[in-house]
Amino acid sequence: MRNVLREHFGFHDFRENQEAIIKNILQKKDVFAVMPTGGGKSLCYQLPSKLLNGTVVVISPLISLMKDQVDAAMENGFSAAYLNSSLSVDEVYSIYRRIHAHSLELLYIAPERFAMTHFYETLRAVPIALFAIDEAHCISEWGHDFRPDYLSLSSIAMNFREVPIAAFTATATAQVQEDIIRKLGLRDPYVVRASFDRRNLFYRVEKKIDIEKQVMKFIREHASSPGIIYRATRDSTVTLSNYLTKNGVRALPYHAGLSAEERTKNQNAFSKDEVSVIAATIAFGMGIDKSNVRFVIHADLPKNIEGYYQETGRAGRDGEPSECVLYYSAGDAFKIRFFIDKIEEEQERATAEAKLTRMIRYASVNICRRRQLLDYLGEKYEPQNCGTCDVCVGAYELRDITEDAQIVMSAVSRTGQRYGRLHVTDVVLGKGTKRVLELKHDKVKTFGAGKHKDKDYWRAIFDELIVQELLVQEGDKYPVIKLTQHGTNVLFDNETVMANMRPEIKAEVIKKVSRTEAGSQFEDYDKALFECLRALRRRLADEQNVAPFIVFSDRTLHEMCRHYPTSINQLLNIAGVGQYKIDRYGDDFIEEIKAYLEQNPKMEPDIP
Ligand code: ADP
Ligand code: ZN
């Protein structure tokens, strides 16, 4: 096992659970494994194909991913192919020939193939080492991705009694787990439920003020790293990607309203690092396994934590530090609520409402983000301080905001609780706008009481008071701010109002923190060399028409940029560099590093 791990994958150690899963497969036991995205599921079924007699048949619903998966396996020295509806008749025949010749170690197929009798017959005539079922939750009607095609997989266990089945998923509640095991007919499976803690992800929430500028600033601070920005509507993905493009960031939109070709084209451009940013609706992501997504931004509030977790999960599959930022405003919550209110079925409405409340809570309270996410997923997070979220790195300050809350609430009250936030803010700031003068609001007592602070500050106070339910926003088209009963009490009884105010945390602080404490596994690397190696990787990938991260992952390049390997032996010591990659790319990378060292003589190789 370890030899294959080193030689074909170039890794020195197994990740959590991988070894146990593989051992069970080698003993021909069934396996059911829930592992988070990036947990390293594919290695669990690829590796045994080198040690067992016969083909490993991998069933995966994502046709768009098959090519990448097969490319990656071939790069690691596996004989692999896929069968799906995108192939020509000739191509299909040639693959059948390879199956019959027992020359395939890995065969990726879409589930509908199992409904075809001749395919079944073909498989029965050749040795099969394992059936690996990816995204196994698709077989469950209880899950969120039910695919009727998956039901045909229940016949595997009956028809291939002697072949083990390993089912993998990144999402499964206890109920869905039971359902999967029963529907697939797994025989006393070895069950793994891995932790959903993604330690390399830094979670943070920021007040949403001017989203385009905020996103632009974030991207500038993360020069040319690939990232995904989720937005709530199709239009806003297009507006944002145009804005970014205008500002010199290579960006493309992605949403369900684009044609299938355009979506594929945009996704490929992102996958191949031709553009660095995708501005997408939640339609994006299912079919992407790009391992070097360095950030996931939510520019609008997600509707629930499940969705949020899934989407942020697309960052950092390679295990390198990556950031997940949610820009939150109470206005977004208000918009979602507006749609929830329209749901007719009462139970469904209540569920959606409760989920939204949890989401708002995630964004508003001063509790470790990681603990909140894991808590929602039913996992207890023990450490007091995760070290990699904005709350834990002390980005918060609990402050007494009573005076400012009074200014705002009294302005709301004195103007008759009939105006929107912008107008009341003008009053607080003492702005003599036409409307203010017309309504004689320059005469109310709180006019100009908040001159000492700016508009953004007051916006934050409004948000805070809405979150604390001292104020509410009512009405859809022209929302009006009112005092709640609680707010009225606070205003007239002089109660103290406390709030966690978030001074902006600097990108450097986050980077430093994510490399220490919980992130001690992450060290700095030579950024200039990384840019050279990244360019080389892209050139090599283009030559072969594969995605760059298939040549080497970011993690592997980062490690090269710490140790400067200049010989084949040194390069073999880098995680992710196996014998197969050495044969193909070793010399190119060594030359590039040597050339770099000649120009930067201060740096030295530091591995034997
Ligand atoms: P999943 O399918 O669970 O989302 P993948 O199989 O795509 O995850 O693996 C995620 C990343 O982790 C890949 O870049 C893979 O090369 C890497 N990886 C897997 N196993 C190991 C390991 N034992 N050591 C280091 N990296 C690993
Ligand atoms: Zn934390």
Side-chain angles (χ1 to χ4, degrees):
M1 275 166 63
R2 295 213 161 250
N3 284 344
V4 180
L5 183 69
R6 239 189 333 268
E7 188 147 324
H8 289 273
F9 296 93
F11 298 140
H12 303 279
D13 295 295
F14 283 108
R15 289 230 185 111
E16 209 182 323
N17 298 309
Q18 285 179 330
E19 192 169 13
I21 291 175
I22 294 169
K23 277 189 176 151
N24 276 278
I25 291 175
L26 295 180
Q27 288 165 13
K28 305 211 168 240
K29 265 190 75 93
D30 286 353
V31 169
F32 173 83
V34 186
M35 286 161 92
T37 308
K41 292 186 277 294
S42 44
L43 186 141
C44 298
Y45 53 77
Q46 290 177 344
L47 191 150
S49 74
K50 285 283 173 199
L51 300 170
L52 290 169
N53 176 34
T55 304
V56 169
V57 178
V58 185
I59 298 137
S60 158
L62 304 170
I63 294 185
S64 55
L65 281 191
M66 283 185 193
K67 182 180 177 298
D68 274 353
Q69 286 166 333
V70 167
D71 284 346
M74 292 198 301
E75 288 285 306
N76 283 334
F78 288 81
S79 71
Y82 61 88
L83 263 181
N84 65 33
S85 51
S86 73
L87 299 180
S88 69
V89 177
D90 282 352
E91 286 169 319
V92 170
Y93 272 119
S94 111
I95 289 164
Y96 270 91
R97 268 197 298 278
R98 293 173 69 191
I99 300 175
H100 283 298
H102 304 188
S103 74
L104 279 178
E105 287 164 319
L106 291 164
L107 172 64
Y108 285 77
I109 59 163
E112 67 265 19
R113 216 139 279 264
F114 264 87
M116 304 177 186
T117 343
H118 69 281
F119 180 69
Y120 236 102
E121 296 307 316
T122 304
L123 290 188
R124 294 193 46 97
V126 296
I128 303 294
L130 168 74
F131 286 101
I133 301 175
D134 210 359
E135 314 286 348
H137 60 281
C138 293
I139 200 173
S140 173
E141 287 99 335
W142 302 103
H144 54 85
D145 281 325
F146 175 59
R147 287 166 193 243
D149 280 339
Y150 259 62
L151 291 174
S152 63
L153 305 181
S154 23
S155 55
I156 297 177
M158 278 175 304
N159 289 300
F160 296 87
R161 287 182 193 279
E162 62 308 333
V163 183
I165 301 175
F168 297 89
T169 171
T171 51
T173 60
Q175 190 188 29
V176 172
Q177 171 171 336
E178 278 310 301
D179 203 29
I180 296 172
I181 292 178
R182 199 165 32 84
K183 288 226 171 75
L184 288 176
L186 300 186
R187 301 142 291 195
D188 182 24
Y190 173 71
V191 175
V192 167
R193 286 194 74 92
S195 165
F196 273 69
D197 183 13
R198 299 282 310 279
R199 290 195 24 188
N200 59 319
L201 301 188
F202 191 107
Y203 298 100
R204 96 184 131 109
V205 180
E206 295 216 358
K207 283 249 151 85
K208 177 167 160 183
I209 297 164
D210 183 338
I211 191 64
E212 290 181 341
K213 288 213 183 85
Q214 286 174 292
V215 167
M216 196 55 223
K217 180 161 174 278
F218 180 94
I219 293 176
R220 285 222 173 89
E221 288 166 358
H222 294 75
S224 68
S225 304
I228 306 172
I229 304 170
Y230 283 104
R231 299 233 58 177
T233 64
R234 296 173 181 186
D235 283 350
S236 56
T237 64
V238 176
T239 323
L240 182 62
S241 93
N242 287 343
Y243 177 87
L244 295 175
T245 308
K246 226 171 49 210
N247 283 278
V249 177
R250 289 166 303 143
L252 283 173
Y254 188 103
H255 60 75
L258 298 174
S259 68
E261 292 107 87
E262 212 162 346
R263 279 194 313 238
T264 311
K265 205 176 87 211
N266 292 0
Q267 173 166 330
N268 283 341
F270 181 57
S271 206
K272 295 195 164 174
D273 289 347
E274 287 161 17
V275 298
S276 58
V277 173
I278 281 277
T281 59
I282 54 172
F284 181 73
M286 222 351 214
I288 181 142
D289 69 347
K290 184 178 171 64
S291 73
N292 62 331
V293 174
R294 294 275 71 90
F295 64 83
V296 169
I297 289 177
H298 281 76
D300 301 302
L301 185 69
K303 294 191 184 68
N304 55 56
I305 293 187
E306 290 98 302
Y308 183 65
Y309 181 82
Q310 283 298 324
E311 285 140 26
T312 54
R314 286 162 194 146
R317 287 175 82 130
D318 54 9
E320 287 292 273
S322 309
E323 284 187 57
C324 309
V325 189
L326 164 63
Y327 289 97
Y328 171 67
S329 80
D332 279 356
F334 185 74
K335 279 185 209 145
I336 298 175
R337 220 169 240 134
F338 175 69
F339 287 105
I340 291 179
D341 285 343
K342 291 193 168 155
I343 300 176
E344 306 232 322
E345 216 270 306
E346 193 176 329
Q347 184 60 42
E348 198 187 325
R349 191 174 60 236
T351 309
E353 175 69 39
K355 289 186 169 180
L356 177 62
T357 306
R358 284 291 290 263
M359 190 68 234
I360 295 172
R361 193 177 142 76
Y362 169 85
S364 338
V365 300
N366 187 15
I367 296 174
C368 170
R369 313 274 179 213
R370 176 168 270 101
R371 173 157 336 135
Q372 291 195 69
L373 290 174
L374 292 173
D375 181 54
Y376 189 87
L377 298 169
E379 198 178 311
K380 188 155 170 47
Y381 185 74
E382 298 289 349
Q384 274 310 307
N385 187 316
C386 83
T388 37
C389 82
D390 55 350
V391 176
C392 290
V393 301
Y396 277 83
E397 250 171 27
L398 191 62
R399 271 198 244 147
D400 183 336
I401 58 158
T402 310
E403 219 168 285
D404 292 341
Q406 297 248 353
I407 292 175
V408 166
M409 292 198 290
S410 121
V412 170
S413 166
R414 285 169 196 276
T415 52
Q417 312 199 38
R418 286 198 313 210
Y419 302 94
R421 172 146 75 169
L422 289 179
H423 178 73
V424 182
T425 306
D426 285 341
V427 174
V428 167
L429 287 170
K431 284 205 183 149
T433 64
K434 199 162 150 250
R435 191 137 185 258
V436 167
L437 297 178
E438 262 169 28
L439 293 163
K440 300 204 167 50
H441 284 166
D442 54 333
K443 301 285 182 293
V444 304
K445 205 172 149 213
T446 27
F447 182 77
K451 262 194 201 130
H452 56 294
K453 298 266 172 57
D454 66 3
K455 200 166 95 214
D456 290 342
Y457 176 79
W458 291 109
R459 186 200 287 259
I461 296 290
F462 265 108
D463 280 340
E464 191 60 44
L465 298 179
I466 291 171
V467 166
Q468 295 197 22
E469 296 183 350
L470 300 174
L471 294 178
V472 281
Q473 216 167 355
E474 277 179 11
D476 38 26
K477 200 141 179 233
Y478 301 105
V480 168
I481 299 275
K482 293 186 173 174
L483 288 169
T484 60
Q485 187 55 51
H486 185 192
T488 314
N489 298 347
V490 167
L491 180 59
F492 295 108
D493 299 343
N494 265 327
E495 271 180 42
T496 307
V497 184
M498 301 297 289
N500 289 304
M501 301 302 283
R502 298 167 246 213
E504 196 144 315
I505 359 172
K506 298 265 176 316
E508 307 88 72
V509 176
I510 288 173
K511 289 217 183 88
K512 208 166 103 217
V513 169
S514 58
R515 267 187 239 114
T516 55
E517 300 191 54
S520 59
Q521 59 211 22
F522 307 121
E523 298 154 52
D524 217 341
Y525 57 89
D526 185 330
K527 306 278 187 324
L529 176 58
F530 180 65
E531 289 309 320
C532 301
L533 298 188
R534 196 151 85 130
L536 171 63
R537 172 176 73 175
R538 180 145 169 230
R539 206 173 66 232
L540 295 171
D542 280 349
E543 279 168 21
Q544 308 185 70
N545 192 27
V546 297
F549 61 87
I550 285 173
V551 172
F552 282 129
S553 71
D554 272 19
R555 178 163 217 165
T556 300
L557 293 195
H558 289 167
E559 210 178 316
M560 292 183 198
C561 297
R562 279 175 208 124
H563 302 297
Y564 308 95
T566 51
S567 70
I568 293 292
N569 271 335
Q570 289 174 350
L571 198 54
L572 269 172
N573 273 323
I574 302 284
V577 185
Q579 193 55 52
Y580 289 81
K581 300 258 170 108
I582 287 277
D583 293 346
R584 285 180 162 222
Y585 310 119
D587 292 339
D588 288 324
F589 278 83
I590 285 171
E591 300 240 313
E592 187 74 31
I593 295 168
K594 277 188 178 155
Y596 178 84
L597 288 177
E598 260 166 41
Q599 288 176 359
N600 301 274
K602 279 200 305 276
M603 318 290 179
E604 271 174 35
D606 71 343
I607 41 173

